[in-house]
Amino acid sequence: MGKKSRVKTQKSGTGATAAVSPKEMMNLISELLQKCSSAAPSPGKEWEEYVQIRALVEKIRKKQKGMSVSFEGTREDFFSELMTWGAECGASCDCFEISNFADEGYGLKAARDIKAEELFLWIPRKMLMTVESAKDSVLGPLYSQDRILQAMGNVTLALHLLCERSNPSSPWLPYIKTLPADYDTPLYFEEEEVRHLLATQAIQDVLSQYKNTARQYAYFYKVIQTHPNASKLPLKDAFTFDDYRWAVSSVMTRQNQIPTADGSRVTLALIPLWDMCNHTNGLITTGYNLEDDRCECVALKDYKEGEQIYIFYGTRSNAEFVIHNGFFFEDNAHDRVKIKLGVSKSERLYAMKAEVLARAGIPASSIFALHCSEPPISAQLLAFLRVFCMTEEELRDYLVGDHAINKIFTLGNTEFPVSWENEIKLWTFLETRAALLLKTYKTSSEEDRSMLEKPDLSLHSRIAIKLRLAEKEILERAVSCCRAKRLHFQKQLDEGAPLPLYEESDIALLENADAKLPIILRKLEEEDESGVLFLKSLTCLSVFKRAFFKIPIRRRKGTRPLSFHSSFHLQGEKKKGFI
């Protein structure tokens, strides 16, 4: 998948075995597992812990040098084999070819003109690597006994991928050989490259991702060496940290959620060929056709012969793209910065504010977002801030006043301010918070732009600095917007402008536009467009935590799915990966 990975030539053979005794290696693995399983560090000590874990990992990597399985040749050498295998399995291979698109890497190129919404790509289930296929593989006996694998399908998929890579007769080899030899996820960043992410909102997830990947590796290394049901795994003689990091990144950048064969639940899958598509802004155009038992994708727009075919990965921020996909998307229409807000329980008006928020379906404390778009806040955040800044009299009006229940629906609507004073107060508050967030960065936007002009800057450093700069630009725009709003409402107050009054008949206005839907009917920070997608993500928690997936399966009303337009459309978790 293009931007998600750079291409490196893989070396032939299995390499020379490093001179390290099994006991010595097991001691290092135990030390790593203990370090990664210890209590969370105190605030401000996370970086120190990361450096310590990284030092242990690097010691292990050095002793494992040359032990990983690899293939002779480059990815490109195997693309024709992949296309042939796809055609033999019943996939559509006539409308596109795999091509190199410079900075975006490999992607799909239209082999003929393709019309918008034309079904141009389908991949049958037998080509997919899934948790179900893992259960039926050599990994099955261990899966049946290991609770971590049973709870975390993404980890299962990563180990499944490694087992199949080591199997010369694996049916998925034509696909596995075309996967990148390495990735640009933060798991591959050098320490100094990760340092560029300090103070960004991505840093905690990046550090957690590395720690939990190291912990998962150490845990499964010991399991593979000691568990009787792992005795026949091809990983027993060679299971390196680099192997696991590669598998984790392969799954994290490519895994998707599909329905099981009977349609009763979802499972995790790698989807060959389709996962070569690069990302652009747009709408979700992929679904799963249960009748034909295949993943299907229609064209996002008209494509001329020779043009690159894109898909939309979902409404992900650039922080999520960097952490889980390993690229920064320049024109991200959905970029945003998180902001945590809450009503203090010690506040005198806490009970009243919490009640108004509860009626609106908004928690008294939550993580919201400042968006790159104009205005920078959602209806939910506007509603929260209005309640947050209400006086006791205003709160009482929304609790027991005339039309109190219906007025709850107006909280997220810009056309119905609570009062001019309330608007001034909320925009002043948000302006101050955004300005404070800006001060947490160690460099200025100008310094970041200057660094990006350096020709010798590494790719990973460039990605990190672009993310850091993008966050600042969102905050800077938010400060500017809040200031303009504050001045506007101050002018309204000074001029004695009449406040738009709510009338019960106005409720009809709230049902005509998506932006004005009653907020109680909408989730915090709107769901991905259409509420239906395959997200290019990997939902996975710490190896010692149970993973809980919130995956609504949406069917159209009526009969069971029959075609693309009445098929399963799946929504995955928004951002979780191996963190």
Side-chain angles (χ1 to χ4, degrees), residues 6-36:
R6 290 173 295 124
V7 180
K8 282 190 175 181
T9 301
Q10 301 183 33
K11 297 178 181 179
S12 60
T14 57
T17 302
V20 55
S21 69
K23 182 178 180 181
E24 181 183 2
M25 181 57 66
M26 189 62 80
N27 287 339
L28 284 172
I29 293 295
S30 297
E31 185 180 357
L32 178 62
L33 183 59
Q34 181 178 9
K35 181 65 180 175
C36 293

Coordinates of all heavy atoms in Angstrom, one line a residue, residues 6-36:
R6 N 7.7 1.7 2.4 CA 8.7 1.9 1.4 C 9.2 0.5 1.0 O 9.1 -0.5 1.7 CB 9.9 2.7 2.0 CG 9.6 4.1 2.2 CD 10.7 4.8 2.9 NE 10.9 4.3 4.3 CZ 12.0 3.7 4.7 NH1 13.0 3.7 4.0 NH2 12.1 3.3 6.0
V7 N 9.8 0.4 -0.2 CA 10.1 -0.9 -0.7 C 11.6 -1.1 -0.5 O 12.4 -0.2 -0.9 CB 9.8 -1.0 -2.2 CG1 10.2 -2.4 -2.7 CG2 8.3 -0.8 -2.4
K8 N 12.0 -2.2 0.1 CA 13.4 -2.6 0.2 C 13.6 -4.0 -0.4 O 12.8 -4.8 -0.3 CB 13.9 -2.6 1.6 CG 14.1 -1.2 2.2 CD 14.8 -1.3 3.6 CE 15.2 0.1 4.1 NZ 15.8 0.0 5.4
T9 N 14.8 -4.2 -1.0 CA 15.1 -5.5 -1.5 C 15.3 -6.5 -0.4 O 16.0 -6.2 0.6 CB 16.3 -5.4 -2.4 OG1 16.1 -4.5 -3.5 CG2 16.6 -6.8 -3.0
Q10 N 14.6 -7.6 -0.4 CA 14.8 -8.6 0.6 C 16.0 -9.5 0.3 O 16.2 -9.8 -0.9 CB 13.5 -9.4 0.8 CG 12.3 -8.6 1.1 CD 11.1 -9.5 1.4 OE1 11.2 -10.6 1.8 NE2 10.0 -9.0 1.0
K11 N 16.7 -9.9 1.3 CA 17.8 -10.7 1.0 C 17.4 -12.2 1.0 O 16.4 -12.6 1.6 CB 18.8 -10.6 2.2 CG 19.4 -9.1 2.3 CD 20.3 -9.0 3.4 CE 20.9 -7.5 3.5 NZ 21.8 -7.3 4.6
S12 N 18.1 -13.0 0.2 CA 17.8 -14.4 0.0 C 18.2 -15.2 1.2 O 19.1 -14.8 2.0 CB 18.4 -14.9 -1.3 OG 19.8 -14.8 -1.2
G13 N 17.6 -16.3 1.3 CA 18.0 -17.3 2.3 C 17.5 -16.9 3.7 O 16.8 -15.9 3.9
T14 N 17.8 -17.8 4.7 CA 17.4 -17.5 6.1 C 18.4 -16.8 6.9 O 18.1 -16.4 8.0 CB 17.0 -18.8 6.8 OG1 18.2 -19.7 6.7 CG2 15.9 -19.6 6.1
G15 N 19.6 -16.6 6.3 CA 20.6 -15.9 7.0 C 21.4 -16.8 8.0 O 20.9 -17.8 8.4
A16 N 22.5 -16.3 8.5 CA 23.3 -17.0 9.4 C 22.7 -16.9 10.8 O 22.3 -15.8 11.2 CB 24.7 -16.5 9.4
T17 N 22.7 -18.0 11.6 CA 22.2 -17.9 12.9 C 23.1 -17.2 13.8 O 24.4 -17.4 13.8 CB 22.0 -19.3 13.5 OG1 21.1 -20.0 12.6 CG2 21.4 -19.3 14.9
A18 N 22.6 -16.2 14.6 CA 23.5 -15.5 15.5 C 24.0 -16.4 16.6 O 23.4 -17.3 17.0 CB 22.7 -14.3 16.1
A19 N 25.2 -16.0 17.1 CA 25.9 -16.8 18.1 C 25.4 -16.5 19.4 O 25.9 -15.7 20.2 CB 27.4 -16.6 18.0
V20 N 24.2 -17.0 19.8 CA 23.7 -16.7 21.1 C 23.0 -18.0 21.6 O 22.3 -18.7 20.9 CB 22.6 -15.6 21.0 CG1 21.6 -15.9 20.0 CG2 22.0 -15.3 22.4
S21 N 23.2 -18.4 22.9 CA 22.6 -19.6 23.4 C 21.2 -19.4 23.7 O 20.7 -18.3 24.0 CB 23.4 -20.0 24.7 OG 23.1 -19.0 25.7
P22 N 20.4 -20.5 23.7 CA 18.9 -20.4 24.0 C 18.7 -19.8 25.4 O 17.8 -19.0 25.6 CB 18.5 -21.8 23.9 CG 19.4 -22.5 22.9 CD 20.7 -21.8 23.2
K23 N 19.6 -20.2 26.3 CA 19.4 -19.7 27.7 C 19.6 -18.2 27.8 O 18.9 -17.5 28.5 CB 20.4 -20.4 28.6 CG 20.2 -20.0 30.1 CD 21.2 -20.8 31.0 CE 21.1 -20.4 32.4 NZ 22.0 -21.1 33.3
E24 N 20.7 -17.7 27.1 CA 20.9 -16.3 27.1 C 19.8 -15.5 26.5 O 19.4 -14.5 27.0 CB 22.2 -16.0 26.3 CG 22.6 -14.5 26.3 CD 23.9 -14.3 25.4 OE1 24.4 -15.3 24.9 OE2 24.3 -13.1 25.4
M25 N 19.3 -16.0 25.4 CA 18.2 -15.3 24.7 C 16.9 -15.3 25.6 O 16.2 -14.3 25.7 CB 17.9 -16.0 23.4 CG 16.7 -15.3 22.6 SD 17.0 -13.6 22.3 CE 18.4 -13.7 21.2
M26 N 16.6 -16.5 26.2 CA 15.5 -16.5 27.1 C 15.6 -15.6 28.3 O 14.6 -15.0 28.7 CB 15.3 -18.0 27.6 CG 13.9 -18.2 28.4 SD 12.5 -17.8 27.3 CE 12.4 -19.4 26.4
N27 N 16.8 -15.4 28.8 CA 17.0 -14.4 29.9 C 16.7 -13.0 29.4 O 16.1 -12.2 30.2 CB 18.4 -14.5 30.4 CG 18.7 -15.8 31.2 OD1 17.7 -16.4 31.7 ND2 19.9 -16.2 31.3
L28 N 17.1 -12.7 28.2 CA 16.9 -11.4 27.7 C 15.4 -11.2 27.5 O 14.8 -10.1 27.7 CB 17.6 -11.1 26.4 CG 19.1 -10.9 26.5 CD1 19.8 -10.9 25.1 CD2 19.4 -9.5 27.2
I29 N 14.7 -12.2 26.9 CA 13.3 -12.1 26.7 C 12.5 -11.9 28.0 O 11.6 -11.1 28.1 CB 12.8 -13.4 26.0 CG1 13.4 -13.5 24.5 CG2 11.3 -13.4 25.9 CD1 13.0 -12.4 23.6
S30 N 12.9 -12.7 29.0 CA 12.3 -12.5 30.3 C 12.5 -11.1 30.9 O 11.5 -10.6 31.5 CB 12.9 -13.6 31.3 OG 12.6 -14.9 30.9
E31 N 13.7 -10.6 30.7 CA 13.9 -9.2 31.2 C 13.0 -8.2 30.5 O 12.5 -7.3 31.1 CB 15.4 -8.9 31.0 CG 15.8 -7.5 31.6 CD 17.3 -7.2 31.4 OE1 18.0 -8.1 30.8 OE2 17.7 -6.1 31.7
L32 N 12.9 -8.4 29.2 CA 12.0 -7.5 28.4 C 10.6 -7.7 28.8 O 9.9 -6.6 29.0 CB 12.2 -7.9 26.9 CG 11.3 -7.0 25.9 CD1 11.7 -5.6 26.0 CD2 11.5 -7.6 24.5
L33 N 10.1 -8.9 29.0 CA 8.7 -9.1 29.4 C 8.4 -8.4 30.8 O 7.4 -7.8 31.0 CB 8.4 -10.6 29.4 CG 7.0 -11.0 29.8 CD1 6.0 -10.4 28.8 CD2 6.8 -12.5 29.8
Q34 N 9.4 -8.6 31.7 CA 9.2 -8.0 33.0 C 9.2 -6.5 32.9 O 8.3 -5.8 33.6 CB 10.3 -8.5 33.9 CG 10.2 -7.9 35.3 CD 11.3 -8.4 36.3 OE1 12.3 -9.0 35.8 NE2 11.2 -8.2 37.5
K35 N 10.1 -5.9 32.1 CA 10.1 -4.5 32.0 C 8.8 -3.9 31.3 O 8.3 -2.9 31.8 CB 11.3 -4.1 31.1 CG 11.5 -2.6 30.9 CD 11.8 -1.9 32.3 CE 11.9 -0.4 32.1 NZ 12.1 0.3 33.4
C36 N 8.3 -4.6 30.4 CA 7.1 -4.1 29.7 C 5.8 -4.4 30.4 O 4.8 -3.9 30.1 CB 7.0 -4.8 28.3 SG 8.3 -4.3 27.1

